[in-house]
Amino acid sequence: MRLVVNEPGLFLGTRGGVITVSKRREKRLEVPVAKVDMVVVLTRGASFSSALVRLLSKHNVPIVFYSPLGLPLSVCRGLTAGSVALRKRQYEAQSGETGFMLAKLFAEGKMLNQTSLLYSMARNREVSDQPLAKHLHEACRLVRDVVRRVREVGLDNGGREELVRLEAEAAKIYWDGVKQALSKVIEFPGRRKRFENPSDPVNISLNYLYSVLAGECLVDVEACGLDPYAGFLHADSPRRPALVMDLMEEFRQQVVDRVVFRLAFERKLDGVVEAGRLKREARMMLYRAFAERLNTSVTFLNRSLAISEHMLLQARRVAEHIMGRCEYTPFVL
Amino acid sequence: MFTLVIYDISDDDLRARVAQACKRFGLVRVQRSAFSGRIPSSLRRELISVLSKMVEGTEDNIQVYVVCEPDMSLRVELGKPFKGEESDMLV
């Protein structure tokens, strides 16, 4: 479970090996460390005792601090073991065939998840809204077409640029379909990224949860001993952890999009934005829905586990692929 | 596996320490002198060894029960339920 700190004035300490949460010396909660996988801090003005940080580090429970926009700012955790051989192989793989295979599989996984989301939306509307269902089925078919072209891309003749181009093409079809479906319940001008400063609740919620997802992936990538900044599909950047962005691609649709669209269809996103920002309660609501989705068990590669556990396993499979021990399979539902 | 710990301890200090140990291992209080919860068997074994050291050489008694899921589903609770410790901060 995740312990979410979303209220200024909270104090987190420890007594006898149990995490205690209090506000103005009044006890609010006591949880054993064994039950907590991660402490998530979404607010300013909360304080932690050093004894707690020690206890959490000892049990390998990270504390993740997020900015008000949802960007992961810092991860506080115990030291992990060095993984020199893996990292060396990772940097080598960036320019070679191994890394290119990974980039292709990340892109493929993303697109296949896009089709499965479009498909389930289409299926749900076959009776209630036939023209829309037909349109979504068509979008689904177009994205699948792009997937076929991705599989044929080779490394030699500008393969990387081609991958990025195809990814953008699939994204355009996907978001156009989503726009059509969402336009019945909420105003959605199409997908806008964070730097485009969107003002509609859907884009703001998407951007917020994508960033939160990045924090989760960052913790998993680091736990496997990989360098989060050396990516395969995304270009290296000192500001953005490229490998985290890579690993995220195949989880965006299943974890974030699905949650946000559901909330939009349930009309829970009306009035969550105030002065271009999410309200505190809205942040908590989004996080709760997101965590619920992460804890949902799904079957992938014959194993039924919570999605957050599949995320860690996928990070480990990336490491195994880099070391040449097994083939990588993108997470597709 | 579902684990149930019940104890009968006269010394206040020791009783508090036993309760604290149960909490630390992720069990929740279900009655004054009873803790229960779903914890992995590795944690249960560790808890048992901690508790056994505590009561060693005293006149007190602790019992640990392991209950499987099918039997657990037959559980019946009568009367006013003991206060649960659920919070909106844990998700």
Short mmCIF file of all heavy atoms in Angstrom, two decimals, chain A residues 114-138:
data_model
loop_
_atom_site.label_atom_id
_atom_site.label_comp_id
_atom_site.label_asym_id
_atom_site.label_seq_id
_atom_site.Cartn_x
_atom_site.Cartn_y
_atom_site.Cartn_z
N GLN A 114 -2.75 1.16 -27.16
CA GLN A 114 -3.67 2.16 -27.71
C GLN A 114 -4.81 1.47 -28.45
O GLN A 114 -5.97 1.83 -28.29
CB GLN A 114 -2.92 3.11 -28.65
CG GLN A 114 -2.04 4.09 -27.90
CD GLN A 114 -1.19 4.94 -28.80
OE1 GLN A 114 -0.90 4.57 -29.95
NE2 GLN A 114 -0.75 6.07 -28.30
N THR A 115 -4.46 0.46 -29.26
CA THR A 115 -5.54 -0.23 -29.99
C THR A 115 -6.48 -0.93 -29.01
O THR A 115 -7.67 -0.90 -29.20
CB THR A 115 -5.00 -1.28 -30.97
OG1 THR A 115 -4.22 -2.21 -30.24
CG2 THR A 115 -4.19 -0.68 -32.07
N SER A 116 -5.92 -1.53 -27.96
CA SER A 116 -6.83 -2.28 -27.09
C SER A 116 -7.77 -1.33 -26.34
O SER A 116 -8.92 -1.67 -26.08
CB SER A 116 -6.06 -3.19 -26.13
OG SER A 116 -5.40 -2.45 -25.16
N LEU A 117 -7.28 -0.11 -26.04
CA LEU A 117 -8.16 0.85 -25.38
C LEU A 117 -9.24 1.34 -26.35
O LEU A 117 -10.42 1.42 -25.99
CB LEU A 117 -7.33 2.03 -24.87
CG LEU A 117 -7.81 2.64 -23.58
CD1 LEU A 117 -7.76 1.62 -22.46
CD2 LEU A 117 -6.98 3.85 -23.19
N LEU A 118 -8.82 1.65 -27.58
CA LEU A 118 -9.79 2.08 -28.59
C LEU A 118 -10.82 0.99 -28.83
O LEU A 118 -12.02 1.26 -28.93
CB LEU A 118 -9.07 2.40 -29.91
CG LEU A 118 -8.26 3.67 -29.99
CD1 LEU A 118 -7.49 3.73 -31.30
CD2 LEU A 118 -9.15 4.90 -29.87
N TYR A 119 -10.34 -0.24 -28.88
CA TYR A 119 -11.23 -1.36 -29.16
C TYR A 119 -12.28 -1.52 -28.07
O TYR A 119 -13.46 -1.68 -28.34
CB TYR A 119 -10.39 -2.64 -29.30
CG TYR A 119 -11.20 -3.86 -29.66
CD1 TYR A 119 -11.74 -4.00 -30.93
CD2 TYR A 119 -11.43 -4.87 -28.73
CE1 TYR A 119 -12.49 -5.11 -31.28
CE2 TYR A 119 -12.17 -5.98 -29.06
CZ TYR A 119 -12.70 -6.09 -30.33
OH TYR A 119 -13.44 -7.19 -30.66
N SER A 120 -11.82 -1.43 -26.79
CA SER A 120 -12.81 -1.62 -25.73
C SER A 120 -13.79 -0.46 -25.69
O SER A 120 -14.97 -0.65 -25.38
CB SER A 120 -12.12 -1.83 -24.37
OG SER A 120 -11.42 -0.70 -24.00
N MET A 121 -13.32 0.75 -26.04
CA MET A 121 -14.26 1.88 -26.12
C MET A 121 -15.28 1.64 -27.23
O MET A 121 -16.46 1.92 -27.07
CB MET A 121 -13.49 3.18 -26.39
CG MET A 121 -12.96 3.83 -25.15
SD MET A 121 -12.82 5.60 -25.34
CE MET A 121 -11.16 5.75 -25.90
N ALA A 122 -14.81 1.13 -28.36
CA ALA A 122 -15.70 0.87 -29.49
C ALA A 122 -16.73 -0.19 -29.11
O ALA A 122 -17.92 -0.04 -29.39
CB ALA A 122 -14.89 0.42 -30.70
N ARG A 123 -16.25 -1.25 -28.46
CA ARG A 123 -17.15 -2.33 -28.07
C ARG A 123 -18.28 -1.84 -27.16
O ARG A 123 -19.44 -2.23 -27.31
CB ARG A 123 -16.38 -3.44 -27.34
CG ARG A 123 -15.60 -4.35 -28.24
CD ARG A 123 -16.51 -5.22 -29.10
NE ARG A 123 -17.33 -6.12 -28.32
CZ ARG A 123 -16.92 -7.31 -27.88
NH1 ARG A 123 -15.72 -7.74 -28.19
NH2 ARG A 123 -17.70 -8.07 -27.16
N ASN A 124 -17.90 -0.93 -26.22
CA ASN A 124 -18.91 -0.44 -25.29
C ASN A 124 -19.96 0.45 -25.94
O ASN A 124 -20.98 0.74 -25.35
CB ASN A 124 -18.24 0.35 -24.15
CG ASN A 124 -17.47 -0.56 -23.24
OD1 ASN A 124 -17.79 -1.75 -23.15
ND2 ASN A 124 -16.45 -0.04 -22.60
N ARG A 125 -19.65 0.92 -27.17
CA ARG A 125 -20.59 1.85 -27.81
C ARG A 125 -21.31 1.23 -29.00
O ARG A 125 -22.02 1.93 -29.72
CB ARG A 125 -19.82 3.10 -28.26
CG ARG A 125 -19.62 4.03 -27.11
CD ARG A 125 -18.51 5.00 -27.33
NE ARG A 125 -18.21 5.69 -26.10
CZ ARG A 125 -17.54 5.13 -25.10
NH1 ARG A 125 -17.11 3.90 -25.20
NH2 ARG A 125 -17.33 5.80 -23.98
N GLU A 126 -21.13 -0.07 -29.20
CA GLU A 126 -21.70 -0.69 -30.38
C GLU A 126 -23.21 -0.56 -30.43
O GLU A 126 -23.80 -0.44 -31.50
CB GLU A 126 -21.30 -2.17 -30.46
CG GLU A 126 -20.26 -2.40 -31.52
CD GLU A 126 -19.48 -3.68 -31.36
OE1 GLU A 126 -19.97 -4.58 -30.65
OE2 GLU A 126 -18.39 -3.78 -31.93
N VAL A 127 -23.86 -0.56 -29.27
CA VAL A 127 -25.31 -0.44 -29.23
C VAL A 127 -25.73 1.01 -29.09
O VAL A 127 -26.59 1.51 -29.81
CB VAL A 127 -25.88 -1.29 -28.08
CG1 VAL A 127 -27.40 -1.21 -28.07
CG2 VAL A 127 -25.41 -2.73 -28.18
N SER A 128 -25.07 1.72 -28.15
CA SER A 128 -25.55 3.06 -27.81
C SER A 128 -25.20 4.10 -28.87
O SER A 128 -25.93 5.05 -29.07
CB SER A 128 -24.97 3.48 -26.46
OG SER A 128 -23.56 3.41 -26.49
N ASP A 129 -24.08 3.95 -29.54
CA ASP A 129 -23.64 4.99 -30.47
C ASP A 129 -22.90 4.36 -31.65
O ASP A 129 -21.68 4.30 -31.68
CB ASP A 129 -22.73 5.97 -29.72
CG ASP A 129 -22.50 7.24 -30.52
OD1 ASP A 129 -22.76 7.21 -31.74
OD2 ASP A 129 -22.06 8.23 -29.93
N GLN A 130 -23.66 3.89 -32.62
CA GLN A 130 -23.04 3.11 -33.70
C GLN A 130 -22.04 3.88 -34.56
O GLN A 130 -20.96 3.36 -34.84
CB GLN A 130 -24.13 2.48 -34.57
CG GLN A 130 -24.58 1.16 -33.99
CD GLN A 130 -25.59 0.47 -34.87
OE1 GLN A 130 -25.99 0.99 -35.91
NE2 GLN A 130 -26.02 -0.70 -34.45
N PRO A 131 -22.35 5.13 -34.95
CA PRO A 131 -21.36 5.84 -35.79
C PRO A 131 -20.01 6.00 -35.09
O PRO A 131 -18.96 5.82 -35.69
CB PRO A 131 -22.01 7.20 -36.05
CG PRO A 131 -23.40 7.11 -35.58
CD PRO A 131 -23.56 5.91 -34.74
N LEU A 132 -20.08 6.33 -33.77
CA LEU A 132 -18.84 6.51 -33.01
C LEU A 132 -18.08 5.19 -32.91
O LEU A 132 -16.86 5.14 -33.10
CB LEU A 132 -19.16 7.04 -31.61
CG LEU A 132 -17.96 7.24 -30.68
CD1 LEU A 132 -16.99 8.24 -31.27
CD2 LEU A 132 -18.42 7.70 -29.31
N ALA A 133 -18.81 4.11 -32.66
CA ALA A 133 -18.17 2.80 -32.55
C ALA A 133 -17.47 2.46 -33.86
O ALA A 133 -16.33 1.95 -33.85
CB ALA A 133 -19.22 1.74 -32.22
N LYS A 134 -18.11 2.79 -34.98
CA LYS A 134 -17.52 2.49 -36.28
C LYS A 134 -16.23 3.28 -36.47
O LYS A 134 -15.20 2.75 -36.91
CB LYS A 134 -18.53 2.86 -37.37
CG LYS A 134 -18.38 2.00 -38.60
CD LYS A 134 -19.50 2.24 -39.58
CE LYS A 134 -19.04 1.89 -40.98
NZ LYS A 134 -19.63 2.72 -42.00
N HIS A 135 -16.30 4.55 -36.06
CA HIS A 135 -15.13 5.41 -36.17
C HIS A 135 -13.97 4.87 -35.33
O HIS A 135 -12.82 4.83 -35.77
CB HIS A 135 -15.50 6.83 -35.72
CG HIS A 135 -14.38 7.79 -35.78
ND1 HIS A 135 -14.02 8.46 -36.93
CD2 HIS A 135 -13.50 8.18 -34.83
CE1 HIS A 135 -12.98 9.23 -36.69
NE2 HIS A 135 -12.64 9.08 -35.42
N LEU A 136 -14.28 4.43 -34.11
CA LEU A 136 -13.24 3.92 -33.21
C LEU A 136 -12.64 2.62 -33.74
O LEU A 136 -11.43 2.41 -33.66
CB LEU A 136 -13.81 3.71 -31.80
CG LEU A 136 -14.17 4.98 -31.02
CD1 LEU A 136 -14.86 4.64 -29.71
CD2 LEU A 136 -12.94 5.82 -30.75
N HIS A 137 -13.49 1.77 -34.30
CA HIS A 137 -12.98 0.53 -34.90
C HIS A 137 -12.01 0.85 -36.04
O HIS A 137 -10.98 0.20 -36.20
CB HIS A 137 -14.14 -0.32 -35.44
CG HIS A 137 -14.72 -1.24 -34.40
ND1 HIS A 137 -13.94 -2.12 -33.69
CD2 HIS A 137 -15.98 -1.40 -33.95
CE1 HIS A 137 -14.70 -2.79 -32.85
NE2 HIS A 137 -15.95 -2.37 -32.98
N GLU A 138 -12.36 1.88 -36.80
CA GLU A 138 -11.52 2.29 -37.93
C GLU A 138 -10.16 2.79 -37.41
O GLU A 138 -9.11 2.41 -37.93
CB GLU A 138 -12.25 3.40 -38.71
CG GLU A 138 -11.48 4.01 -39.85
CD GLU A 138 -11.19 3.04 -40.99
OE1 GLU A 138 -11.82 1.95 -40.99
OE2 GLU A 138 -10.32 3.34 -41.82
#
